[in-house]
Amino acid sequence: MSAGVSTEFISPGPQSFNTTPIIDGVDWFTKPVLVAALSVVVIVWFYWGASRKAAVVPSKLQFAGELGYNFVRNSIARDAIGSHDYMKYVPYLCGLFYFILLNNVAGTIPLIQFPTFSHIGWAYVAAIMSWAIYNGVGIKKKGLWGYFKHQTMPAGVPVWLMPLMIPIEFISNILVRPVSLSLRLFANMFAGHILLLVFVTGGDYMLRESGSIALGGVGIITLLMGLAIAGLELFVQCIQAYIFVVLTAQYIGSAIADEH
Amino acid sequence: MSQHEDPKPTPNTAGDGWRVLSYLIGGILVYGGIGFGLDRWLGTQFLLPVGIVLGAGLTILLLNFRYRQRP
């Protein structure tokens, strides 16, 4: 808000997410691109540093790296895919988890304060990637027809009900899954960030530009509420990264499962 | 690697919840969509809600069959 120029409150909206190119003339290089690139650099630096001098008695950095890796490996990948063939998918799941996590948390980190996945295109790409992988490994394991049968024939349903159930199974497994993966991530990041913007710009307006003592008091409360929302956001950002990867792992697990 | 392996991993129930939700959306989409299409075709108005309720009901039935099988 430009102080003193306008006394009208301009509410934040989807237009608040329009990012301008950082360097003039390079249209694709916007804030989300920068944040995503930075997150990759940070993750690579962290894991490279953690694994560079691997020792039996781990250093602090190696210990942190193992902790982070084991979390995805044991409590996401192994639990969802099963202890037989989960190792193949750990690199993807681990990379995906920390990429989404860092890009989400970027919405709270001071000076960056932009969650990459509040632009839906990023969420689409992440979901399409997971979708391609779990369908791909399912088709590879069972063949096209076998996989298709596996994904559309619900177990335990009597034969006479099958024709009614097959479309539900097909739509929910093939269509709703990738859409819900991307929409959940995008909507949480978008809604959280816009809520924060409303509280902060609204509180700032009431405190500094409304010219009323009473509204100024409300503005202080609003700003404090904004702080609480920021805390809630941090929680949501972590949960959403976790949910995305858990579901990807479960979909992979169900695609390669022997029976339903 | 110096980590202790968790002897018995616990099943992930958070994911199950989301899958149930995606089944419900799927069922409502399919049969609500069929109802919507029939409404447009026949010029009626009641088939979309009938389709939605039917889809939700069938999904609950499907979920019952599916998750009852679990040991």
Side-chain angles (χ1 to χ4, degrees):
Chain A
M1 297 219 64
S2 48
V5 176
S6 163
T7 48
E8 193 79 15
F9 176 63
I10 305 151
S11 74
Q15 76 278 358
S16 311
F17 290 81
N18 293 343
T19 47
T20 46
I22 295 169
I23 304 166
D24 272 337
V26 192
D27 285 347
W28 57 268
F29 193 62
T30 53
K31 199 167 182 180
V33 177
L34 179 69
V35 173
L38 271 178
S39 73
V40 171
V41 171
V42 169
I43 294 168
V44 169
W45 168 80
F46 175 73
Y47 276 105
W48 184 73
S51 60
R52 192 168 42 123
K53 281 183 278 176
V56 180
V57 180
S59 64
K60 269 186 188 142
L61 191 62
Q62 187 191 340
F63 184 72
E66 283 182 9
L67 215 63
Y69 166 80
N70 282 341
F71 170 66
V72 176
R73 193 187 96 136
N74 296 344
S75 30
I76 297 179
R78 193 176 58 192
D79 284 3
I81 303 175
S83 51
H84 188 249
D85 37 15
Y86 70 102
M87 275 311 278
K88 258 195 295 191
Y89 308 103
V90 172
Y92 173 67
L93 295 173
C94 196
L96 187 69
F97 179 71
Y98 288 103
F99 181 71
I100 296 178
L101 183 69
L102 252 68
N103 277 287
N104 285 354
V105 170
T108 302
I109 295 171
L111 301 178
I112 300 177
Q113 277 164 326
F114 194 89
T116 311
F117 288 97
S118 65
H119 278 190
I120 195 163
W122 290 87
Y124 280 155
V125 172
I128 289 169
M129 220 153 56
S130 288
W131 185 81
I133 286 176
Y134 72 73
N135 283 310
V137 297
I139 290 169
K140 198 177 153 205
K141 182 151 187 220
K142 298 180 203 304
L144 190 60
W145 178 242
Y147 176 69
F148 196 69
K149 237 173 81 179
H150 173 74
Q151 285 293 53
T152 53
M153 305 274 259
V157 175
V159 179
W160 61 273
L161 267 173
M162 273 294 186
L164 291 173
M165 298 304 192
I166 284 173
I168 298 181
E169 189 84 5
F170 177 78
I171 294 285
S172 78
N173 283 352
I174 305 294
L175 210 76
V176 177
R177 277 178 179 186
V179 173
S180 70
L181 267 183
S182 49
L183 284 186
R184 181 166 40 244
L185 179 57
F186 153 74
N188 272 286
M189 291 309 108
F190 181 84
H193 207 59
I194 209 162
L195 192 63
L196 210 54
L197 278 174
V198 169
F199 271 92
V200 172
T201 57
D204 176 67
Y205 175 80
M206 285 193 277
L207 186 62
R208 297 196 302 138
E209 293 180 45
S210 63
S212 140
I213 306 265
L215 272 184
V218 177
I220 292 175
I221 297 172
T222 309
L223 286 175
L224 287 175
M225 281 290 290
L227 210 59
I229 296 287
L232 177 72
E233 263 317 284
L234 195 59
F235 175 70
V236 171
Q237 286 155 356
C238 299
I239 286 289
Q240 286 309 316
Y242 176 72
I243 287 283
F244 195 100
V245 178
V246 160
L247 286 174
T248 298
Q250 289 219 335
Y251 295 161
I252 291 173
S254 76
I256 61 173
D258 286 327
E259 81 280 350
H260 236 47
Chain B
M1 280 269 192
S2 59
Q3 87 263 340
H4 51 274
E5 302 260 336
D6 189 1
K8 45 177 196 301
T10 47
N12 221 315
T13 44
D16 273 343
W18 287 110
R19 285 173 69 175
V20 168
L21 188 66
S22 95
Y23 269 117
L24 268 172
I25 295 171
I28 289 170
L29 267 184
V30 173
Y31 289 97
I34 291 175
F36 178 77
L38 285 175
D39 268 346
R40 293 292 291 269
W41 184 41
L42 302 169
T44 50
Q45 288 209 313
F46 66 97
L47 287 170
L48 171 63
V50 167
I52 289 175
V53 172
L54 182 72
L58 280 172
T59 309
I60 291 166
L61 202 60
L62 172 74
L63 289 169
N64 182 33
F65 281 125
R66 192 194 155 110
Y67 283 90
R68 204 173 50 185
Q69 295 293 312
R70 284 219 170 150

